[in-house]
Amino acid sequence: MLPDNSFLIQYPHVSRVVRSLFLTAFVAFGVGALMGLFQALHRTNVLRLFDSTDYYTLLTLHGVLLAIVFTIFFLAGVFAWANTRSLDRPPVSKPFTWFWVAAMSLGTTMAGVSILGGLIPASDISADVLFTFYAPLQAHPLFYIGLALFIVGTWLAGIDWFRQFLAWRSENPGERIPLQSFMVLTTMLMWFIATMGVAVEVVVFLIPWSLGLMPAPNPLLTRTLFWFFGHPVVYFWLMPAYLLWYTVLPKISGGRLFSDPLARVVFVLFLLLSTPVGIHHQYVDPGIAEGFKFIAMTNTMFLLLPSLLTAFTVVASIEHGARQRGGTGYFGWLKALPWRDPAFTGMALAGLMFAAGGFSGMVNAGMNINYLVHNTIWVPGHFHLTVGTAVALTFMAGSYWLVPRITGRELYSRPIGLFQVVLWFIGMVFMSAAMHRGGLAGIPRRTAEPQYSQIAFETVAGSVGNLRLQMAFGGVLLFVSALLFLVNVGLTAMNNKPARGLDAALPPALSGPEQSPTILDNLKLWALIAVVLVILAYSLPLYSIVQGAGLYPAGHEASPAVIAPLLEVIA
Ligand code: HEM
Ligand SMILES: [Cu+2]
């Protein structure tokens, strides 16, 4: 029997919302993983199942389904759960909640259909523009309109969580914001700011252009607007994983969060620093002055701080848990951790891989060494450690803990879960290490062809053939792991056995909110500073880009004649 204080009994409606969001996330994950398998086998020449001309359709599907749909739908589920659980009150309006779920789902369907259209020669709908959708690559308007709708859906979700918070605030004046809700709200503030870039890119430039109403926009401008959003989106993927590490992992390991104030500081730092760094994706873009790139690099290095604070706080919390369970010694406590629990082991391995991803990320972030790896397969090697493992594996592990809580069903199989998370880790060691090494040898990313004529890639150790096999082998292990995960949660949802002991409480932090300065809860202040930092980082680069080539490249007039003089004024 479920205890009266279990989430499902208290909030059956929110549980349903979370279930439907997770369902979409998992379907996207399954299809995306299958595309990943195809790519890993195709570009290494191990097994070529489709025509190379379709490679970019599959790659777009892979990137969009995994990096945008899977991650953000799962985030929405976790946040809906966390905000409700920690405020201990339901959202303000049920229809409003379903409205944003519907907007996100409809937008996703439109974007998905337009990508798949690329596989049907007879259709004129396609969107082979990759998940970094900037000009001059052009997709069918359906793709951009779907994306816009999806983003609007996420904004409404944020508004829903803020309304829920404000209702709580009027019932609880003067109280500290509960930690999970604090994490949800700061992340959504960051998201509101970050998505301004992509909203302008899509609504002002890409949609009118794809409809034939306006000429092609300045590619550098759309790239810059994209990366304005494209870096902070990585923290949007990470924050729900951090939320689980900070608030759920201590409970699973039998301990308590080490420090509530530190957790708050980390989320505030991400709100402040996530956005004014996007230009670090544009180190090799001509048309942006070196000085702006240098500023972006400096800000990026500051971003290491909250991640290092997280590593410290999370490990300290786990150690506390291990000592509560009887662990002793400098390292002996590691043995006392619940390694047989797939939720724990998955998150622990995800955290470990995140450390490795952090190191390769520092190479990407360095202006000078970036040239060595830019646009090589090193880059996918890096982000399969971060979003592809730190985030995705934490989501899988978190699902083993959370899905029973929103379905009331016992996890189908812990051993399969455990095997699956370890398999993901091993598969990723193979695939990602080979990608990193291949990148150092100069092998490009985003290509269907294993060999360029007249170019021999020189490896430091081993051969290119060897690296390819490791990549393909790792890809197969990852795909098998993904399947096992989906089967395991699928069977959990259908399990007749009711889950046991799901009380909704999370243990209080060792150093609680009463020890964190109240200014940390001043969300208006942090949001304001974040906006100022963004203006400082972006106004001059954007101004000089528009000054340089204009909003539309030279020789093309903006087509509706009424708009042209207006644009002159802005430019
Ligand atoms: C079954 C597991 C997976 C396999 C086998 C796989 C394989 C690959 C391969 C081989 C590439 C490089 C293709 C190229 O540059 O030519 C790639 C790209 C990518 N993967 Fe994965 N991947 C997997 C899971 C994931 C996950 C879980 C995520 C994110 C949550 C992810 C996100 C991406 C992204 C964003 C790209 C870049 C797409 C682009 O360049 O536009 N992948 N993947
Ligand atoms: Cu970045």
Side-chain angles (χ1 to χ4, degrees), residues 227 230-232 234-235 277-278 280-281 300:
W227 287 120
H231 185 80
V234 315
Y235 292 104
V277 298
H280 70 210
H281 291 262
T300 305

Side-chain angles (χ1 to χ4, degrees), residues 147-349:
L147 280 177
L149 193 59
F150 173 80
I151 301 268
V152 170
T154 63
W155 289 344
L156 296 176
I159 292 174
D160 199 11
W161 298 322
F162 267 94
R163 286 173 70 193
Q164 193 177 2
F165 163 71
L166 291 175
W168 172 88
R169 173 55 86 208
S170 65
E171 294 153 8
N172 301 275
E175 257 189 62
R176 296 306 295 263
I177 307 175
L179 184 60
Q180 282 187 326
S181 181
F182 182 85
M183 293 171 164
V184 170
L185 302 177
T186 43
T187 305
M188 292 317 291
L189 285 176
M190 184 271 278
W191 183 244
F192 288 136
I193 298 172
T195 43
M196 289 302 142
V198 76
V200 172
E201 184 206 4
V202 169
V203 175
V204 178
F205 295 104
L206 300 181
I207 292 179
W209 172 47
S210 65
L211 287 170
L213 300 174
M214 301 290 272
N218 178 347
L220 183 59
L221 179 60
T222 61
R223 279 172 68 85
T224 307
L225 290 171
F226 178 85
W227 287 120
F228 178 106
F229 145 89
H231 185 80
V233 76
V234 315
Y235 292 104
F236 201 52
W237 302 330
L238 265 176
M239 289 307 103
Y242 274 28
L243 183 145
L244 294 171
W245 293 353
Y246 274 106
T247 63
V248 172
L249 192 54
K251 176 173 169 124
I252 300 177
S253 38
R256 293 158 65 180
L257 172 61
F258 179 71
S259 164
D260 172 296
L262 262 186
R264 284 179 206 253
V265 167
V266 165
F267 275 74
V268 166
L269 284 174
F270 279 122
L271 165 59
L272 298 183
L273 295 173
S274 291
T275 313
V277 298
I279 289 176
H280 70 210
H281 291 262
Q282 300 180 278
Y283 287 147
V284 302
D285 280 19
I288 297 184
E290 295 299 289
F292 296 139
K293 296 176 182 173
F294 186 82
I295 293 172
M297 172 172 77
T298 315
N299 290 348
T300 305
M301 296 301 173
F302 277 119
L303 258 179
L304 286 172
L305 178 66
S307 285
L308 291 174
L309 286 176
T310 298
F312 171 77
T313 318
V314 172
V315 173
S317 313
I318 296 177
E319 181 182 341
H320 172 74
R323 295 197 188 279
Q324 295 304 105
R325 301 163 65 97
T328 52
Y330 277 129
F331 294 106
W333 57 270
L334 284 166
K335 286 188 301 217
L337 288 167
W339 292 107
R340 282 170 191 283
D341 181 349
F344 175 82
T345 302
M347 287 196 210
L349 292 177

Side-chain angles (χ1 to χ4, degrees), residues 29 32-41 43 55-56 59-60 62-64 66-67 70-71 129-132 237 377 380 383-384 387-389 391-392 396 424 428 431 435 444-448 471 474-480 482:
F29 178 67
L34 182 64
M35 299 303 119
L37 177 71
F38 287 161
Q39 289 152 210
L41 297 176
R43 60 165 294 152
Y55 190 77
Y56 292 104
L59 191 56
T60 305
H62 180 75
V64 169
L66 288 170
F70 163 58
T71 46
V129 292
L130 304 172
F131 83 110
T132 50
W237 302 330
I377 193 126
F383 62 62
H384 282 85
V387 65
T389 301
V391 173
M396 289 186 254
W424 188 275
M428 200 52 92
M431 189 173 91
M435 284 174 157
R445 71 183 281 202
R446 292 179 162 174
T447 170
M471 232 173 91
V476 171
L477 298 189
L478 287 166
F479 179 69
V480 173

Side-chain angles (χ1 to χ4, degrees), residues 286 506 512:
L506 294 174

